[in-house]
Amino acid sequence: MNDFEATRAWAEAQDAADPLRSFRDAFHIPPHDGGDALYFCGNSLGLQPKTVRAAIEAELADWSELAVEAHFRGRSPWMHYHEYVRDAMAEVVGAQPHEVVAMNSLGVNLHLMMVSFYRPTAERPAILMEAGAFPTDRYALESQVRFHGFDPSRDLVEIAPDGPGGILSLEAIERAIAEHGHRVALILLPGVQYRTGQVFDLARIVQLGHAQGCVVGFDLAHAVGNLALALHDSGADFAVWCTYKYLNAGPGAVAGAFVHERHARAELPRFAGWWGHDKATRFQMGPQFVPTPGADGWQLSNPPILALAPLRASLELFTQAGMARLAAKSRRLTGYLDWLIRTRLAETLDIVTPNDPAQRGAQLSVRVRAGRDAGRALFAHLERHGVIGDWREPDVIRLSPTPLYNRYLDCLGAVETIASWQATSA
Ligand SMILES: *Cc1c(COP(=O)(O)O)cnc(C)c1O
């Protein structure tokens, strides 16, 4: 069992003993009513690290003082800028450095990866995905199927959730792969389901997919910076993610992509650009594209320095904290919120997210038992009282205590705010 207590004294003692407590001071916490808001929305937009402003200003200064020369003589020469985030990002996702690259946005990377990794044939035309996926993923996959001249009604196979609240069991995935695998070119699943917060077993899915001859890729939007991932060891062919959620790199920040090292030198078809060309000869400006080995070979353009600077600043905090320590705190912190909801709010709320800590990250998705209208009313009450979560149609409130900046006291405060609504609406 656990040692949790629903008291301020207990929560404050936990926060005081938290080895990661100083990281909260590294962030701007949005204010509410003279104090700090209780921010539970790191799953949607992570908070701003205080070091970001100086990081951007340093690049602005180099631009104003050195202009084009900053590519070579800047404090952080722009020529190599995307490489400055590589090691830290590889560490966060559990990959080798040459397997990851920061570029574009998530949706763009998903399409670029599919150019290389979705190669449908008449015998094997299909993509296997989850029903209820994030819209971009469905739109991207459906449009790729159409682009190749196949029919989404037949060749986009969606696995229906088989558990309460939209949970999708591993058995259902296994059954779908066993049934459809022989005609599936690509399996694409999330690391963490955005609406339910459910975690998927990447290594097992790769194993099942590869056994049937399928390529396997992941959308890690809600997994990166949330779970201690082992992307290389999972054997996944590719993965994509954004960096503005748990990675705190700012609105619309530069996204990430992973290409497993077994494809690092493969002559995969791709959409090419000069920044993906072999570094040694890029500036010879020759007509023949020779890809840089590894994930860098999928870059199109010279990188957006002002957008990478915040990612670099943010990743420094992840390097200092370490994913293993963050994941350990996250389990306990989310476990505390889960326990508080189950013990204090069981009549009002259902938790959709699996109770098993191995099947969830920071996020808890809850539904108000009284239905959608009551759910909207509770959500409005939370907003009024400075508890910031988010609403996902049709009826889910997502609350994500993140281990870098959330406290045990925040979890208690959120539950007390919900309890005060429960009292008035009863
Ligand atoms: C957040 C999220 C996106 C957003 O895509 P962008 O290209 O960054 O706008 C896409 N897919 C999933 C699963 C997400 O969680």
Side-chain angles (χ1 to χ4, degrees):
M1 280 313 292
N2 61 59
D3 61 331
F4 298 151
E5 292 175 28
T7 62
R8 280 190 85 82
W10 187 89
E12 280 170 356
Q14 292 301 304
D15 290 325
D18 172 9
L20 299 176
R21 68 185 175 282
S22 63
F23 284 96
R24 179 178 172 85
D25 297 331
F27 290 88
H28 291 289
I29 312 287
H32 175 81
D33 219 4
D36 290 342
L38 303 187
Y39 195 77
F40 287 94
C41 222
N43 58 288
S44 184
L45 183 73
L47 294 180
Q48 184 187 133
K50 289 177 180 167
T51 45
V52 158
R53 188 177 297 269
I56 294 174
E57 280 172 355
E59 303 314 328
L60 289 173
D62 278 359
W63 182 17
S64 64
E65 290 155 23
L66 299 169
V68 71
E69 291 286 303
H71 282 99
F72 314 100
R73 297 201 293 113
R75 273 161 272 203
S76 306
W78 295 340
M79 187 60 82
H80 312 291
Y81 210 90
H82 71 276
E83 296 171 12
Y84 306 150
V85 299
R86 179 191 287 154
D87 289 358
M89 197 141 83
E91 190 66 35
V92 164
V93 297
Q96 298 179 6
H98 68 281
E99 291 177 316
V100 302
V101 63
M103 60 182 187
N104 311 312
S105 55
L106 169 53
V108 172
N109 288 345
L110 185 55
H111 276 296
L112 289 179
M113 288 294 117
M114 282 195 285
V115 167
S116 299
F117 290 105
Y118 173 49
R119 307 294 301 161
T121 61
E123 299 74 43
R124 210 182 251 283
I127 299 181
L128 186 67
M129 66 179 295
E130 46 147 0
F134 193 93
T136 266
D137 299 67
R138 195 172 189 293
Y139 303 158
L141 271 49
E142 179 177 10
S143 62
Q144 286 276 339
V145 170
R146 277 188 209 287
F147 176 77
H148 285 280
F150 294 98
D151 176 3
S153 71
R154 193 191 55 216
D155 300 324
L156 189 62
V157 182
E158 295 176 85
I159 317 172
D162 57 338
I167 299 298
L168 176 57
S169 70
L170 186 60
E171 293 70 40
I173 296 173
E174 278 191 61
R175 279 195 301 275
I177 295 174
E179 182 184 345
H180 303 284
H182 65 281
R183 56 186 302 277
V184 166
L186 169 67
I187 297 171
L188 191 112
L189 286 168
V192 175
Q193 218 284 343
Y194 82 100
R195 189 187 281 112
T196 66
Q198 180 188 2
V199 168
F200 291 95
D201 184 341
L202 308 189
R204 181 73 186 132
I205 291 166
V206 171
Q207 194 183 36
L208 291 165
H210 283 177
Q212 294 276 345
C214 316
V215 172
V216 182
F218 293 101
D219 182 335
L220 301 178
H222 285 270
V224 65
N226 177 12
L227 309 173
L229 296 164
L231 209 39
H232 172 84
D233 290 342
S234 80
D237 293 286
F238 72 91
V240 292
W241 57 90
C242 52
T243 63
Y244 49 81
K245 292 172 178 167
Y246 294 100
L247 285 187
N248 312 315
V254 182
F258 162 90
V259 177
H260 196 279
E261 74 163 346
R262 67 177 166 276
H263 303 300
R265 291 174 183 281
E267 306 239 322
L268 288 167
R270 72 188 79 191
F271 287 172
W274 75 316
W275 228 254
H277 185 93
D278 182 15
K279 230 173 107 167
T281 57
R282 184 190 294 146
F283 281 88
Q284 291 173 13
M285 307 306 244
Q288 200 68 44
F289 177 71
V290 180
T292 291
D296 276 7
W298 272 264
Q299 294 173 102
L300 296 180
S301 304
N302 78 101
I305 306 303
L306 298 179
L308 276 173
L311 175 60
R312 185 182 181 197
S314 172
L315 284 171
E316 265 170 35
L317 298 173
F318 279 84
T319 302
Q320 288 163 23
M323 272 319 295
R325 285 204 301 167
L326 285 167
K329 175 178 170 187
S330 181
R331 274 191 180 213
R332 186 162 162 80
L333 191 64
T334 294
Y336 183 51
L337 180 62
D338 179 284
W339 176 82
L340 285 170
I341 292 172
R342 284 177 204 280
T343 52
R344 305 247 336 241
L345 304 170
E347 284 163 32
T348 307
L349 295 184
D350 279 325
I351 299 178
V352 174
T353 310
N355 186 231
D356 172 9
Q359 288 187 61
R360 70 180 181 208
Q363 173 185 335
L364 290 184
S365 299
V366 300
R367 291 195 302 194
V368 175
R369 294 189 158 198
R372 186 177 181 282
D373 289 351
R376 292 294 322 183
L378 171 59
F379 188 66
H381 176 87
L382 290 172
E383 281 189 316
R384 270 197 307 280
H385 291 84
V387 179
I388 304 173
D390 63 8
W391 175 267
R392 280 294 172 269
E393 294 297 344
D395 58 358
V396 165
I397 295 173
R398 302 189 298 185
L399 297 170
S400 304
T402 69
L404 266 177
Y405 48 74
N406 280 117
R407 301 169 300 183
Y408 291 87
L409 198 58
D410 297 346
C411 297
L412 184 63
V415 167
E416 284 174 346
T417 306
I418 298 172
S420 71
W421 175 80
Q422 181 174 265
T424 57
S425 71

